Structures are given as structure tokens and as C-alpha cells.
Amino acid sequence: MAFVERLHIPAHYLRTKDDGTTALRVMRAPDPKKPFDLEQLAQYVLIYGRPGLENTWQGIAVDFAYRMHWRTLFGFALCRALCTNSAGKTTLVRRFALVMAQLRLYREAMAAYAAANPTRPFVAQYGADVEIRQVHIPDDQVQNFSDNDAIHVLIHNRIPPDWVDHAYMYGVVYLKQQFHQPTMSLDVFRDVNDERLQRLSVYGHPPAIPHWDGWREISEEDRYRLLFKRADEVAAQIDTEGVGLYYYIGMDPNVGPLWKRTPAHGTMPVVGSAINVALTDSVMVDATAAEGLSTPPKTESAPQPPAINIVQPEAATTTEAGRSQTTTGMG
């Protein structure tokens, strides 16, 4: 590690290593059983997953003051909470992110589901606890996972439409980051962005959940961790801020190069495939702070992240993706 002056760092942030030197306390990785612990998620991403690092966590907006936008953290957490840990999780999360970017697509699917299932209406989950059944797909079928499949999982989990609206910014930032790196899926991202622009011209920007809006200010401990991390990056000649993915202070991540793009294609083609999607048993989530309307607005510097409790899954329920009917049994 490059030399960093430690004399001014409070002792309660330090630990003594076996060789007698001091270092910052070990950072706790985000707990997979608490997917909506956004504060812990933000602390970890700031050091290990922000833009420009080798393991960038896609879709999270970071500005030049190292603040992160709560809406993108929320969208990132929601998409990951819907997927079990597997080799194909990144691909599944990508598809959920693209659905989030196409504003009101989920609401239209909800309306279609209601029309097709008049005796089984869609009722969004609200309250202190929600149940999430995570999706798992065999690794050899992951690439076939489509928008329709992702929407099927969202409806099956009765995810509130205002949660998906709130995650729109996450989808926009995710798209922007894809256009800054070579990818085999660039045509897919162009098509999704074309669809997003057309929808934006009709509907405008979707509303945010006030309690989860705004930028997260970095803490004192964050500053000390950045001091160490940036020293290492400078020593390794890594310029994370030079990658073109950081936002100017005060900039709205919803407005930027993607917002000004001219559609290159027509409407997004319908991509569909019949694959088997296994939804694990219920995951219990304490979502009080994410409910929105019943919670008071938060200030940028004083968020109240919710706690998450997840029960151990017992079995998996297999459904065929892309069909209008969903499995309602909760295991």
C-alpha cells in the first residue's frame, strides 16, 4: 500500500495488523440476506465497486464528490434481490435493469395481466414486510432470459409499480455505462434506449419515492477509506475519474448524453423465448422505509435504510417464462 499519513485518523477507525502496522478496520461486505441495506451497500461500492475500478457495480450514479444517488442504489438492490446467486446473476440483473429503463413498461404489463386474469387481480405488496421469490435459471439458458421473463418475475412477486418507477434512474445510468465500454450487446442497448426515449417523450420522467431520493453524502469514515484507496490507485496509476462516468456535482443523472440521443432504430423488437424459470421460496423483506407514501421525506445527509430479513428457502417452484399465468403458491 502506498504511504498514507495515519496520525490524524481517529483510532476507532484503525486496527493493528499482525506485523504491527496499522490499517483501517476491515469493511463488512453487504449482507445478501439484507439486500436493501443501502447504507452498507453504498459504503462498500464506494471503495470496491465505483466507476473506473476493475469490478464496477453497474448502474450506480456517483458524482465527483463521491456521493451516490439513492434512486440508483435502490434500483441496484431491487434487481439483485430478485435473483439468486449463480454464475448467470449478472446477466439476469442486466435484464431487470433494462426493464427499469423502459418507463411504464411494467405498468402496461400489469394492466395486461389484470385483463387476462380478472379473477386474480394484481395486488402490489406494501407494508412492513414483503415476500420475494428469487429467480434461478440454469446457466445454459441465462442468455435467453428476456424482458417478458423479467416482467413475469416482477408480477409474480407483486413488486409495487412505484418501486419500478423509482428505479428508472438506475436503468438510465446502467445504459449510460454500457455505452462507455465495448460490449457484444451494444445493439440491444441501443434498441432499449430508443424505446426509452420514445416513452420519455410520451410520459415524461417517472416520479421518485421522496424518502429514497437525492444524493448520499459520504461519511467521515468514507473519507478515510477513500484516503487509503486513492493512495493505492495513484500508486497503480489508476484514474477512476477519467473514465467519463462520474457526474458533475448537482447534475441530474436522468439528464445527460443518453437523454439527448436521437433514436437510431425503430421501436424495440419483441424478444421472447420459452425457458424454465425456477422461483425460490419466499424471502421476507422489511420494506418499511421503501414504502414511500407512508414514510416522511428524508434529507440527503440523514437516510434511514431499512433492515432486511430473509428466511431460508426450502424448495423451488418452476414456471415457464413468458406466459400470462403465474404461480401463486408460496411454498
Side-chain angles (χ1 to χ4, degrees):
M1 175 180 285
F3 175 78
V4 177
E5 178 58 58
R6 297 175 173 83
L7 295 179
H8 69 289
I9 300 180
H12 59 274
Y13 291 138
L14 298 173
R15 61 184 174 91
T16 301
K17 298 166 56 177
D18 293 340
D19 59 5
T21 60
T22 58
L24 285 174
R25 295 179 306 178
V26 176
M27 174 175 285
R28 177 171 57 91
D31 187 347
K33 294 184 179 181
K34 298 182 178 179
F36 286 96
D37 186 349
L38 300 190
E39 179 62 27
Q40 179 60 30
L41 173 65
Q43 291 176 348
Y44 193 85
V45 172
L46 180 65
I47 303 302
Y48 298 112
R50 58 191 156 83
L53 297 178
E54 183 177 358
N55 184 31
T56 299
W57 290 27
Q58 302 288 337
I60 298 176
V62 184
D63 69 12
F64 283 106
Y66 295 104
R67 303 182 307 170
M68 297 181 190
H69 205 287
W70 286 111
R71 290 185 71 172
T72 62
L73 288 165
F74 181 91
F76 179 90
L78 175 60
C79 291
R80 288 182 66 85
L82 291 164
C83 307
T84 57
N85 285 322
S86 65
K89 183 170 184 175
T90 298
T91 302
L92 299 181
V93 168
R94 175 189 304 153
R95 184 54 62 181
F96 282 112
L98 298 184
V99 169
M100 305 297 177
Q102 300 172 72
L103 54 87
R104 296 192 68 87
L105 180 64
Y106 180 48
R107 290 182 180 272
E108 292 171 0
M110 287 169 48
Y113 173 85
N117 298 272
T119 62
R120 298 166 58 193
F122 176 88
V123 180
Q125 295 194 74
Y126 286 103
D129 297 296
V130 299
E131 295 178 336
I132 292 180
R133 294 170 66 93
Q134 297 173 310
V135 63
H136 173 74
I137 298 177
D139 292 341
D140 60 349
Q141 298 185 32
V142 165
Q143 295 298 331
N144 294 328
F145 191 68
S146 68
D147 285 358
N148 290 336
D149 299 326
I151 290 171
H152 168 85
V153 174
L154 290 168
I155 291 178
H156 178 81
N157 279 288
R158 298 187 291 127
I159 299 300
D162 49 335
W163 284 23
V164 177
D165 288 345
H166 186 69
Y168 167 74
M169 183 186 291
Y170 163 71
V172 172
V173 175
Y174 188 97
L175 277 175
K176 176 184 177 182
Q177 292 176 350
Q178 306 316 304
F179 283 112
H180 277 76
Q181 59 188 15
T183 174
M184 296 176 60
S185 304
L186 192 57
D187 285 342
V188 173
F189 296 132
R190 288 197 184 102
D191 290 336
V192 171
N193 192 57
D194 288 352
E195 176 73 6
R196 181 189 68 85
L197 288 171
Q198 293 177 8
R199 290 174 172 275
L200 185 64
S201 67
V202 175
Y203 301 116
H205 291 289
I209 298 173
H211 191 79
W212 288 112
D213 201 9
W215 294 88
R216 174 194 177 268
E217 301 288 347
I218 65 174
S219 66
E220 180 183 53
E221 183 175 1
D222 290 337
R223 296 179 191 277
Y224 290 129
R225 290 192 180 280
L226 279 169
L227 178 66
F228 279 77
K229 186 65 174 178
R230 290 292 293 138
D232 283 345
E233 292 168 3
V234 170
Q237 298 183 331
I238 299 174
D239 181 15
T240 58
E241 297 179 7
V243 297
L245 293 175
Y246 285 73
Y247 291 86
Y248 291 110
I249 297 173
M251 182 178 180
D252 181 358
N254 278 332
V255 180
L258 281 178
W259 180 70
K260 299 177 181 178
R261 284 177 64 94
T262 300
H265 308 289
T267 59
M268 180 178 174
V270 176
V271 179
S273 58
I275 61 177
N276 291 325
V277 179
L279 298 173
T280 63
D281 269 9
S282 304
V283 175
M284 298 303 298
V285 177
D286 178 358
T288 304
E291 188 175 354
L293 296 180
S294 65
T295 56
K298 74 170 187 63
T299 62
E300 289 186 352
S301 59
Q304 300 293 327
I308 305 302
N309 298 310
I310 296 183
V311 298
Q312 293 295 326
E314 298 178 357
T317 300
T318 300
T319 61
E320 187 168 329
R323 294 190 177 181
S324 60
Q325 296 295 325
T326 61
T327 303
T328 57
M330 286 301 176

